[in-house]
Every structure is written in C-alpha cells, then in structure tokens.
Amino acid sequence: MATFASPLPYLCSPMDKLPPITKNLLIINVLCWMGTVALSKYGIDIEHIFGLHFFMAPSFRIWQPVTYMFLHDGFQHIFFNMFAVWMFGRIMEVQWGQKRFLTFYLLCGLGAALSQEICQFVHYELALASYDAVNVGGITVPMAAYLDTILTVGASGAVYGILLGYGVTFPNNELFIIPIPVPIKAKWLVTAYVVLELALGLRNSAADNVAHFAHLGGMLAGFLIILYWRRKDRGGSDNHIDFTWQ
C-alpha cells in the first residue's frame, strides 16, 4: 500500500481522537504482530496456526479466513497496512458509523480470503492436481507438505476494500501519493489500483509473494457491500442503482 496524505480540512485531523473501531483495529493488529514476533523466539509459529492456508492443505482450519487478516509478515507489511487504516479507516468510520465500518472491514477481509482460495484452487487444478509431490530447490516434497507452505496473512484485502469505499464515497477528493508531486482524485487512484493489481495478478501473482487477487477480492467485496447498502437505504424499491462517480 502506498503512502497517502489527504488535504481534506473537514475530516479528522491527525491530532483528533481516533474513532473506536479504527483505534481498536490498529491496537489489535499491532499486538498480534508483536505477539507473533515474540512467540517465534520460543519456536511457536502463530502464522502457521492462524494464517490462511489453502483449504485443501492439512493445516487449514475454519477460523483462518478471519484470523489471517490480523497477522502481518514483517514491520513494513504492518506499517503500510495500518497507516492506510489510520488514514482512510477513521474517515469511513465517521462517515458510516461504527457498526457498518466494522462489518465492511471484516467482510472485505473475508472476500479477499475467498478470492485467494479460489485462485489457489484454480492453480492447483491446472498445475498440481496430477502430481503426488513437487520439486522444490532440488528436493522432492510430498504434495500435502507443499500445500501447507502456501500461507496468506495480512489486512491488505480489508485495506483495499476501505480504499474502494473511500473512492466511491469521496470520488473527487484529492490525495497526494508519495513521490508523485501532484494530487490525484480518489476515483482515479482506485481505478489505477484495480488495473495495477489485475495486471500484476495475471502476470504472476506468486512471483512477488503478494496476493494481488486477494486485494481485488477485498475491493470487489467492498463494491458489492456498498451496492447493497445503497439499495437498502433506498428501501429496496429502486431497480436502478446509481453508482456513478459523483
């Protein structure tokens, strides 16, 4: 996630008190990361237990599509994700309210998990299903053991959902993205991220160790949630749903 700065004077300033859901998400994610680092020194692999495994792997557990989004692989990973939650989450929580914002965050994370699982299943069926083992660095690894090495962690899916929500809600608000010296409207930033993630995912989503289709899954989940909310808020009587950039 890139670094942003928002010039909007009427939204929360950095010194304002954080709304409770955003604050608690930041605290929980940081504590989970610190716990992961601390326990790893004692040989306890929190990521293996609570990270998202491929659903056909022996170590997959039903809770992982939720718990994975509170784990991060390294300081840079958690820093940029939590910076984005702080930057955009506080704004969207004020806009939507606590219940809707938390629901949105969690469902976008679940949407990202589902997208990642689908992509992994497609890859498995196309490239791995006919083999009992794979060669990794000259070593033959049984398929079950290999599948257990496929692990996804991070709040990026939820973060990309929040970014989508911000872009849809405030499409013409201008943002600065470092190091670009000119402001970019939120709607074009969101569009650029969709195109970039799709291009990188189609090229080879595993090569850079980034779950690009999970990011897109989080954005798609956010898009569908907002569509549902808009229809619900209109009483469900309108067959046409206006989803144009304002």
Side-chain angles (χ1 to χ4, degrees), residues 92 95-96 164-171 173 226 230 245-246:
M92 300 317 299
Q95 176 72 18
W96 287 335
L164 183 281
Y166 181 89
V168 168
T169 307
F170 306 105
N173 283 354
I226 294 172
R230 289 190 173 185
W245 293 123
Q246 301 172 9

Side-chain angles (χ1 to χ4, degrees), residues 57-103:
S59 295
F60 175 79
R61 298 292 183 271
I62 193 64
W63 59 75
Q64 292 170 358
V66 175
T67 56
Y68 90 100
M69 68 181 86
F70 297 99
L71 302 176
H72 290 84
D73 185 23
F75 176 78
Q76 183 176 352
H77 191 200
I78 189 172
F79 175 80
F80 284 108
N81 273 345
M82 293 305 101
F83 182 83
V85 170
W86 171 79
M87 178 60 69
F88 297 107
R90 60 198 172 105
I91 297 171
M92 300 317 299
E93 183 176 348
V94 170
Q95 176 72 18
W96 287 335
Q98 297 175 25
K99 183 178 179 180
R100 276 199 171 185
F101 175 68
L102 179 59
T103 299

Side-chain angles (χ1 to χ4, degrees), residues 1-225:
M1 197 72 184
T3 304
F4 302 99
S6 173
L8 306 178
Y10 58 89
L11 298 172
C12 305
S13 73
M15 299 304 294
D16 286 340
K17 183 179 179 181
L18 284 172
I21 300 301
T22 301
K23 179 176 69 175
N24 287 324
L25 286 173
L26 293 172
I27 292 172
I28 291 169
N29 276 277
V30 170
L31 287 178
C32 286
W33 175 71
M34 293 174 64
T36 300
V37 173
L39 291 173
S40 67
K41 297 179 180 179
Y42 298 94
I44 302 174
D45 190 350
I46 293 297
E47 290 185 355
H48 183 77
I49 301 170
F50 295 104
L52 180 62
H53 288 271
F54 179 40
F55 72 91
M56 295 180 69
S59 295
F60 175 79
R61 298 292 183 271
I62 193 64
W63 59 75
Q64 292 170 358
V66 175
T67 56
Y68 90 100
M69 68 181 86
F70 297 99
L71 302 176
H72 290 84
D73 185 23
F75 176 78
Q76 183 176 352
H77 191 200
I78 189 172
F79 175 80
F80 284 108
N81 273 345
M82 293 305 101
F83 182 83
V85 170
W86 171 79
M87 178 60 69
F88 297 107
R90 60 198 172 105
I91 297 171
M92 300 317 299
E93 183 176 348
V94 170
Q95 176 72 18
W96 287 335
Q98 297 175 25
K99 183 178 179 180
R100 276 199 171 185
F101 175 68
L102 179 59
T103 299
F104 186 86
Y105 183 94
L106 294 175
L107 289 180
C108 286
L110 288 171
L114 177 60
S115 176
Q116 182 71 354
E117 292 292 312
I118 291 173
C119 289
Q120 289 175 350
F121 178 71
V122 171
H123 173 70
Y124 174 81
E125 287 296 317
L126 293 177
L128 301 174
S130 59
Y131 299 97
D132 295 323
V134 295
N135 188 289
V136 180
I139 301 174
T140 300
V141 180
M143 183 58 66
Y146 174 74
L147 292 179
D148 253 356
T149 66
I150 303 174
L151 188 67
T152 304
V153 296
S156 297
V159 166
Y160 273 76
I162 293 173
L163 178 62
L164 183 281
Y166 181 89
V168 168
T169 307
F170 306 105
N172 292 313
N173 283 354
E174 294 185 333
L175 304 167
F176 288 93
I177 176 170
I178 298 173
I180 300 174
V182 295
I184 302 173
K185 288 186 176 181
K187 59 185 178 183
W188 303 128
L189 181 63
V190 169
T191 301
Y193 265 108
V194 170
V195 173
L196 178 63
E197 292 296 324
L198 183 59
L200 292 174
L202 291 174
R203 185 186 68 178
N204 189 350
S205 60
D208 55 7
N209 203 31
V210 176
H212 297 290
F213 284 109
H215 297 168
L216 291 172
M219 298 182 89
L220 176 60
F223 180 82
L224 295 176
I225 293 166

